[in-house]
Each structure stands twice: as structure tokens, then as C-alpha cells.
Amino acid sequence: MKILVLNCGSSSIKYQLIDMDNNACVMAKGLLERIGLEMGEFTHKPAGKEKYYTKTPIPDHKCGIKLVLDALIDPKMGVISSLEEINACGHRVAHGGEIFKQSVLIDQKVKEQIRELFALAPLHNPANLQGIEAMEAILPGVLQVAVFDTSFHQTMPEEAYLYAIPYEYYQSDKIRRYGFHGTSHRFVAPKAAQMAGMDINNSKIISCHLGSGASICAVKNGKSVDTSMGFTPVEGLIMGSRCGDLDLGVLLYIAEKENMSIKEMNNFINKKCGLNGITGGVVDMRDIMAGKREGKQRETYAFDMFAYRVKKYIGAYAAAMGGVDIILFTGGIGENAWWQRQEICRGLEFLGAEIDTEQNEAMAGKDGIISKTGSRVKILSVTTDEELVIAQDTYSIVK
């Protein structure tokens, strides 16, 4: 079964065509950017063939998906002979609210429910639905499945997901912690347990998905019991351009001082803060590490603050679960920035977590155990694959 995985953003589309009957082989993948602007960009990477790149107008998601489908069957850069070879399509949908606790086959009711959740994810859910409707219009006979970022975290207890605001806002507007990166945490937690020789159903795992967007998840016996992102992806860790945890009084002070509108403040906390705000424009952890080594003060602050925030959450979630068996690192920073992993784990020996410095450096970008042989808590580098999770869910639902 060949499954097309689509991740539609407000102005972008990421995609993969995966052959589930051939060891989940990725036949092609690519990215469309700057959708809706004067000139778009299209990168297509077919397996075993040269990468294709072009600039072309992409007025909307329907045109973008048609570009993808045309590329997949193109005589030179294609990987299938006919669109009839695509058996199903899996979509990443950002927000499932309290409605969707697992992935679902898309029908009219599901589309209406995704639309009802626009208010909870105004930048993402509308784009996700556009992708669904565009695919439906171009290939109406292909079954489609929605896989939600928030579903994995629906097992959190009330004390973890409720906010200390008037309760009626939860009752009327469903304002609560939802969490994100669910497909990643759901993928890496059992993978880490298997790598460590543990039973996922009898384990306490702290999953650190660290990248430009970053979140930590406490996974107890295979279920999410707490996570650092909240009602939106702004809460929690310091991120590339998102502020993470912050005294709300700071926002009120800045908004009044700068006479900011709500829209301007939303842009501020999502795009002007985080590593970007601390350093004055440097967001790549490799560049931040280089700046720290050169003695640059602001890059040093950013590096140390990032590690400190992750370390605090690890301690908090170890307390919340009554211990920890595995600490895993995944995502762009988590998998590759071994020096950041080193700093995060420094001082965690009291938890029984002892990192092996040589193994840690050797496992940059790889799967492997990076703790010392005698460490009671296993520390792991684990590569994630969110597209595979979407494909697996789609396959299990439509087969």
C-alpha cells in the first residue's frame, strides 16, 4: 500500500510518499514553500534520482498538491506510473481539541469538527483542512486519514491539563493544556524502551523533543501524563523564536509600554522571543554554540538558558512520575547537538542519570544509548519519524 503523507502549513506543504508494503520505504519527499505569495518554491526529492527544485507561482494549496501529484508521476522525476497507485492519504492536523483522542478516517463530520477547532489553532487547522479538501477535489476516490498532534496527550489527568483561571473558561471555551509534538513523542517513547530493553507498559520515560519548536513529555507506562506545551505551542521550553514559560505580567508591561495590539503581541511571543530574542537574531543551536565558544555573552546566555530550562523540566517530570527510567533526546537539536545534551545532563547524577561523554559525541544524529554502563537511568539519542507515524496510522485505519 502506497500512502501519501501531507503536512500542510499556512504557506507550505511537506510531503512523503511511503510504500508500506516495502518496509515503509520513502519513495519521494519534498517541500513547497511561499504558497500564496507572488513566487513559490518547490523542492522534490525522488528516491534514487536527482533532486528537483524550481520557483513557480503556487497560488493555493490545491495548486500545490497538484504540483506534488504531477511530480510523482512525471517520467523523469516521478516514482509511480499512475496516481491510481496512491492508496490513501494521511494528513497531519495540528489540533484535535478534546474531540479527537486518536487518528480517524476523514468524512464530512470530521471536516466540520476540524473547522470547529479553528479558534484553537488559527494558523494551522485552516491550512490542514485546505490540504484535505484540495486532495479530495483532485483525487476524490482516495481515502484520507487525520492524525492529530494533540491526541497523544489526551491521557493527561485534570491536575496536569487544567489552568488556574476561572473554571467557566474551560467549560465554555475548552481553555486547557493540550500539548503538541504528540506524533513524535508517541513514536520515540516505545522505540527508546525497546532500545533499552524495557517494557513500555512498565516504564517512566521523559521525552525531550528539542528543535526550533521544543517540548518535553512525561510518558508513564506508554501514556502521556504531562507535557510542557500548553493551550498553544508557546508555553514551556525556550524555543527558536517562542518565549516559553514567562511571567504574564511581563507581557502586560511590554504591551502597555510599546502600545502593542493583541495581534502585535501574538507576533512578539511567537517570532521575536526565544533564542532569537536573547541573541538578537541567532537561532541555530550550532551558531549559538560557536558563539559561546568564542565568548559571546548573548550566545552564552542563550545556550545556558536553553539547557537550564530543559533540565528543570526533567527534574519536575521525574518528581511527577515518582522516578524516571529513560531520558531521551530527539528532534533537530536533541538528535544532533551532542554538546547541548552534555550540558543538559550535567548535574543529573542525583537522579541516577550519568552520561557517557564519548558515547554521547559518537551518537550525534544516530540512535544509541549515551549513558554510562552503570547508569541507573538510561539516556538515549533517538531519531524521530513523524511522517512514518502518520503513514502507520493511515495504513491501520484504511487497510
Side-chain angles (χ1 to χ4, degrees), residues 45-72:
K45 300 177 182 177
K49 298 183 179 181
E50 290 187 10
K51 180 176 74 173
Y52 171 80
Y53 170 81
T54 188
K55 289 187 176 182
T56 184
I58 311 173
D60 53 37
H61 285 72
K62 185 176 179 180
C63 291
I65 289 174
K66 190 173 188 311
L67 276 175
V68 172
L69 296 175
D70 287 346
L72 292 174

mmCIF file of all heavy atoms in Angstrom, residues 45-72:
data_model
loop_
_atom_site.group_PDB
_atom_site.id
_atom_site.type_symbol
_atom_site.label_atom_id
_atom_site.label_comp_id
_atom_site.label_asym_id
_atom_site.label_seq_id
_atom_site.Cartn_x
_atom_site.Cartn_y
_atom_site.Cartn_z
ATOM 1 N N LYS A 45 12.321 15.437 -3.945
ATOM 2 C CA LYS A 45 13.443 14.506 -3.821
ATOM 3 C C LYS A 45 12.961 13.076 -4.035
ATOM 4 O O LYS A 45 12.536 12.406 -3.081
ATOM 5 C CB LYS A 45 14.090 14.641 -2.439
ATOM 6 C CG LYS A 45 14.633 16.027 -2.136
ATOM 7 C CD LYS A 45 15.187 16.103 -0.711
ATOM 8 C CE LYS A 45 15.692 17.496 -0.375
ATOM 9 N NZ LYS A 45 16.171 17.591 1.029
ATOM 10 N N PRO A 46 13.036 12.572 -5.282
ATOM 11 C CA PRO A 46 12.656 11.174 -5.533
ATOM 12 C C PRO A 46 13.792 10.229 -5.151
ATOM 13 O O PRO A 46 14.967 10.538 -5.390
ATOM 14 C CB PRO A 46 12.398 11.156 -7.038
ATOM 15 C CG PRO A 46 13.243 12.261 -7.588
ATOM 16 C CD PRO A 46 13.384 13.292 -6.515
ATOM 17 N N ALA A 47 13.470 9.102 -4.547
ATOM 18 C CA ALA A 47 14.496 8.134 -4.142
ATOM 19 C C ALA A 47 15.235 7.608 -5.368
ATOM 20 O O ALA A 47 14.624 7.211 -6.363
ATOM 21 C CB ALA A 47 13.856 6.977 -3.377
ATOM 22 N N GLY A 48 16.560 7.648 -5.313
ATOM 23 C CA GLY A 48 17.371 7.110 -6.403
ATOM 24 C C GLY A 48 17.499 8.011 -7.601
ATOM 25 O O GLY A 48 18.086 7.628 -8.620
ATOM 26 N N LYS A 49 16.970 9.233 -7.517
ATOM 27 C CA LYS A 49 17.059 10.180 -8.628
ATOM 28 C C LYS A 49 17.531 11.531 -8.121
ATOM 29 O O LYS A 49 17.590 11.776 -6.917
ATOM 30 C CB LYS A 49 15.692 10.319 -9.319
ATOM 31 C CG LYS A 49 15.161 9.034 -9.942
ATOM 32 C CD LYS A 49 13.846 9.279 -10.661
ATOM 33 C CE LYS A 49 13.307 8.012 -11.304
ATOM 34 N NZ LYS A 49 12.035 8.253 -12.027
ATOM 35 N N GLU A 50 17.866 12.415 -9.051
ATOM 36 C CA GLU A 50 18.355 13.730 -8.671
ATOM 37 C C GLU A 50 17.248 14.601 -8.088
ATOM 38 O O GLU A 50 16.087 14.496 -8.483
ATOM 39 C CB GLU A 50 18.961 14.445 -9.893
ATOM 40 C CG GLU A 50 20.272 13.857 -10.378
ATOM 41 C CD GLU A 50 20.900 14.696 -11.472
ATOM 42 O OE1 GLU A 50 20.420 15.826 -11.711
ATOM 43 O OE2 GLU A 50 21.871 14.231 -12.091
ATOM 44 N N LYS A 51 17.637 15.443 -7.146
ATOM 45 C CA LYS A 51 16.693 16.386 -6.543
ATOM 46 C C LYS A 51 16.247 17.406 -7.585
ATOM 47 O O LYS A 51 17.026 17.848 -8.430
ATOM 48 C CB LYS A 51 17.357 17.091 -5.361
ATOM 49 C CG LYS A 51 16.453 18.089 -4.654
ATOM 50 C CD LYS A 51 17.130 18.699 -3.431
ATOM 51 C CE LYS A 51 18.187 19.711 -3.818
ATOM 52 N NZ LYS A 51 18.726 20.421 -2.626
ATOM 53 N N TYR A 52 14.969 17.778 -7.518
ATOM 54 C CA TYR A 52 14.403 18.758 -8.439
ATOM 55 C C TYR A 52 13.996 19.997 -7.638
ATOM 56 O O TYR A 52 13.391 19.896 -6.578
ATOM 57 C CB TYR A 52 13.185 18.165 -9.137
ATOM 58 C CG TYR A 52 12.382 19.154 -9.950
ATOM 59 C CD1 TYR A 52 12.786 19.536 -11.233
ATOM 60 C CD2 TYR A 52 11.205 19.693 -9.444
ATOM 61 C CE1 TYR A 52 12.042 20.444 -11.982
ATOM 62 C CE2 TYR A 52 10.453 20.601 -10.183
ATOM 63 C CZ TYR A 52 10.883 20.972 -11.452
ATOM 64 O OH TYR A 52 10.137 21.877 -12.187
ATOM 65 N N TYR A 53 14.360 21.180 -8.146
ATOM 66 C CA TYR A 53 13.990 22.424 -7.486
ATOM 67 C C TYR A 53 13.574 23.448 -8.531
ATOM 68 O O TYR A 53 14.210 23.577 -9.587
ATOM 69 C CB TYR A 53 15.162 22.982 -6.670
ATOM 70 C CG TYR A 53 14.916 24.387 -6.148
ATOM 71 C CD1 TYR A 53 14.167 24.591 -5.006
ATOM 72 C CD2 TYR A 53 15.425 25.501 -6.831
ATOM 73 C CE1 TYR A 53 13.930 25.878 -4.529
ATOM 74 C CE2 TYR A 53 15.192 26.794 -6.361
ATOM 75 C CZ TYR A 53 14.442 26.967 -5.205
ATOM 76 O OH TYR A 53 14.196 28.237 -4.752
ATOM 77 N N THR A 54 12.511 24.169 -8.233
ATOM 78 C CA THR A 54 12.078 25.224 -9.144
ATOM 79 C C THR A 54 11.344 26.306 -8.374
ATOM 80 O O THR A 54 10.827 26.064 -7.277
ATOM 81 C CB THR A 54 11.147 24.671 -10.243
ATOM 82 O OG1 THR A 54 10.895 25.689 -11.212
ATOM 83 C CG2 THR A 54 9.817 24.205 -9.660
ATOM 84 N N LYS A 55 11.308 27.486 -8.945
ATOM 85 C CA LYS A 55 10.470 28.572 -8.443
ATOM 86 C C LYS A 55 9.292 28.727 -9.389
ATOM 87 O O LYS A 55 9.481 28.821 -10.611
ATOM 88 C CB LYS A 55 11.257 29.883 -8.358
ATOM 89 C CG LYS A 55 12.302 29.905 -7.250
ATOM 90 C CD LYS A 55 12.928 31.287 -7.117
ATOM 91 C CE LYS A 55 13.905 31.337 -5.938
ATOM 92 N NZ LYS A 55 14.490 32.689 -5.769
ATOM 93 N N THR A 56 8.100 28.751 -8.827
ATOM 94 C CA THR A 56 6.893 28.845 -9.646
ATOM 95 C C THR A 56 5.761 29.395 -8.794
ATOM 96 O O THR A 56 5.739 29.178 -7.579
ATOM 97 C CB THR A 56 6.500 27.458 -10.203
ATOM 98 O OG1 THR A 56 5.370 27.594 -11.072
ATOM 99 C CG2 THR A 56 6.164 26.484 -9.095
ATOM 100 N N PRO A 57 4.817 30.131 -9.379
ATOM 101 C CA PRO A 57 3.675 30.610 -8.584
ATOM 102 C C PRO A 57 2.862 29.431 -8.038
ATOM 103 O O PRO A 57 2.561 28.479 -8.767
ATOM 104 C CB PRO A 57 2.859 31.419 -9.597
ATOM 105 C CG PRO A 57 3.837 31.813 -10.661
ATOM 106 C CD PRO A 57 4.792 30.662 -10.764
ATOM 107 N N ILE A 58 2.545 29.482 -6.738
ATOM 108 C CA ILE A 58 1.694 28.464 -6.112
ATOM 109 C C ILE A 58 0.591 29.237 -5.383
ATOM 110 O O ILE A 58 0.707 29.540 -4.191
ATOM 111 C CB ILE A 58 2.483 27.576 -5.119
ATOM 112 C CG1 ILE A 58 3.784 27.060 -5.755
ATOM 113 C CG2 ILE A 58 1.623 26.401 -4.657
ATOM 114 C CD1 ILE A 58 4.693 26.306 -4.788
ATOM 115 N N PRO A 59 -0.483 29.579 -6.085
ATOM 116 C CA PRO A 59 -1.497 30.468 -5.510
ATOM 117 C C PRO A 59 -2.241 29.908 -4.304
ATOM 118 O O PRO A 59 -2.662 30.663 -3.426
ATOM 119 C CB PRO A 59 -2.456 30.725 -6.679
ATOM 120 C CG PRO A 59 -2.191 29.639 -7.661
ATOM 121 C CD PRO A 59 -0.760 29.264 -7.500
ATOM 122 N N ASP A 60 -2.418 28.572 -4.252
ATOM 123 C CA ASP A 60 -3.145 27.999 -3.119
ATOM 124 C C ASP A 60 -2.723 26.546 -2.916
ATOM 125 O O ASP A 60 -1.905 25.997 -3.668
ATOM 126 C CB ASP A 60 -4.663 28.094 -3.341
ATOM 127 C CG ASP A 60 -5.107 27.505 -4.677
ATOM 128 O OD1 ASP A 60 -4.531 26.472 -5.105
ATOM 129 O OD2 ASP A 60 -6.025 28.065 -5.301
ATOM 130 N N HIS A 61 -3.293 25.908 -1.879
ATOM 131 C CA HIS A 61 -2.903 24.546 -1.535
ATOM 132 C C HIS A 61 -3.334 23.532 -2.600
ATOM 133 O O HIS A 61 -2.645 22.531 -2.814
ATOM 134 C CB HIS A 61 -3.492 24.161 -0.177
ATOM 135 C CG HIS A 61 -2.777 24.796 0.980
ATOM 136 N ND1 HIS A 61 -2.881 26.133 1.272
ATOM 137 C CD2 HIS A 61 -1.931 24.270 1.911
ATOM 138 C CE1 HIS A 61 -2.137 26.415 2.330
ATOM 139 N NE2 HIS A 61 -1.551 25.307 2.731
ATOM 140 N N LYS A 62 -4.446 23.798 -3.257
ATOM 141 C CA LYS A 62 -4.898 22.888 -4.314
ATOM 142 C C LYS A 62 -3.880 22.844 -5.446
ATOM 143 O O LYS A 62 -3.523 21.763 -5.939
ATOM 144 C CB LYS A 62 -6.273 23.306 -4.843
ATOM 145 C CG LYS A 62 -6.863 22.336 -5.860
ATOM 146 C CD LYS A 62 -8.258 22.757 -6.270
ATOM 147 C CE LYS A 62 -8.837 21.789 -7.313
ATOM 148 N NZ LYS A 62 -10.210 22.191 -7.726
ATOM 149 N N CYS A 63 -3.384 24.001 -5.851
ATOM 150 C CA CYS A 63 -2.349 24.060 -6.890
ATOM 151 C C CYS A 63 -1.067 23.393 -6.405
ATOM 152 O O CYS A 63 -0.376 22.709 -7.171
ATOM 153 C CB CYS A 63 -2.070 25.507 -7.282
ATOM 154 S SG CYS A 63 -3.414 26.310 -8.175
ATOM 155 N N GLY A 64 -0.749 23.591 -5.129
ATOM 156 C CA GLY A 64 0.447 22.980 -4.572
ATOM 157 C C GLY A 64 0.380 21.464 -4.585
ATOM 158 O O GLY A 64 1.339 20.783 -4.984
ATOM 159 N N ILE A 65 -0.748 20.912 -4.171
ATOM 160 C CA ILE A 65 -0.898 19.456 -4.153
ATOM 161 C C ILE A 65 -0.900 18.892 -5.571
ATOM 162 O O ILE A 65 -0.357 17.813 -5.817
ATOM 163 C CB ILE A 65 -2.174 19.067 -3.377
ATOM 164 C CG1 ILE A 65 -1.949 19.348 -1.891
ATOM 165 C CG2 ILE A 65 -2.538 17.606 -3.599
ATOM 166 C CD1 ILE A 65 -3.159 19.141 -1.015
ATOM 167 N N LYS A 66 -1.463 19.644 -6.521
ATOM 168 C CA LYS A 66 -1.411 19.192 -7.918
ATOM 169 C C LYS A 66 0.030 19.142 -8.422
ATOM 170 O O LYS A 66 0.417 18.221 -9.160
ATOM 171 C CB LYS A 66 -2.243 20.093 -8.823
ATOM 172 C CG LYS A 66 -2.413 19.527 -10.242
ATOM 173 C CD LYS A 66 -3.375 20.331 -11.064
ATOM 174 C CE LYS A 66 -3.656 19.619 -12.394
ATOM 175 N NZ LYS A 66 -2.467 19.165 -13.115
ATOM 176 N N LEU A 67 0.869 20.101 -7.995
ATOM 177 C CA LEU A 67 2.289 20.073 -8.348
ATOM 178 C C LEU A 67 2.955 18.813 -7.806
ATOM 179 O O LEU A 67 3.749 18.162 -8.492
ATOM 180 C CB LEU A 67 3.002 21.305 -7.788
ATOM 181 C CG LEU A 67 2.962 22.606 -8.586
ATOM 182 C CD1 LEU A 67 3.621 23.713 -7.779
ATOM 183 C CD2 LEU A 67 3.650 22.443 -9.926
ATOM 184 N N VAL A 68 2.622 18.464 -6.568
ATOM 185 C CA VAL A 68 3.179 17.263 -5.951
ATOM 186 C C VAL A 68 2.777 16.019 -6.726
ATOM 187 O O VAL A 68 3.617 15.170 -7.067
ATOM 188 C CB VAL A 68 2.720 17.140 -4.481
ATOM 189 C CG1 VAL A 68 3.139 15.794 -3.900
ATOM 190 C CG2 VAL A 68 3.285 18.282 -3.643
ATOM 191 N N LEU A 69 1.499 15.894 -7.023
ATOM 192 C CA LEU A 69 0.993 14.703 -7.723
ATOM 193 C C LEU A 69 1.576 14.602 -9.128
ATOM 194 O O LEU A 69 1.940 13.507 -9.581
ATOM 195 C CB LEU A 69 -0.538 14.734 -7.766
ATOM 196 C CG LEU A 69 -1.234 14.669 -6.398
ATOM 197 C CD1 LEU A 69 -2.743 14.831 -6.565
ATOM 198 C CD2 LEU A 69 -0.914 13.367 -5.682
ATOM 199 N N ASP A 70 1.691 15.743 -9.806
ATOM 200 C CA ASP A 70 2.292 15.731 -11.146
ATOM 201 C C ASP A 70 3.749 15.287 -11.090
ATOM 202 O O ASP A 70 4.227 14.557 -11.966
ATOM 203 C CB ASP A 70 2.195 17.129 -11.777
ATOM 204 C CG ASP A 70 0.782 17.488 -12.217
ATOM 205 O OD1 ASP A 70 -0.067 16.572 -12.288
ATOM 206 O OD2 ASP A 70 0.515 18.682 -12.449
ATOM 207 N N ALA A 71 4.465 15.724 -10.038
ATOM 208 C CA ALA A 71 5.870 15.337 -9.890
ATOM 209 C C ALA A 71 6.008 13.842 -9.633
ATOM 210 O O ALA A 71 6.938 13.193 -10.120
ATOM 211 C CB ALA A 71 6.515 16.125 -8.755
ATOM 212 N N LEU A 72 5.077 13.286 -8.873
ATOM 213 C CA LEU A 72 5.154 11.856 -8.523
ATOM 214 C C LEU A 72 4.991 10.939 -9.728
ATOM 215 O O LEU A 72 5.491 9.812 -9.738
ATOM 216 C CB LEU A 72 4.097 11.516 -7.459
ATOM 217 C CG LEU A 72 4.320 12.129 -6.068
ATOM 218 C CD1 LEU A 72 3.129 11.837 -5.167
ATOM 219 C CD2 LEU A 72 5.601 11.598 -5.436
#
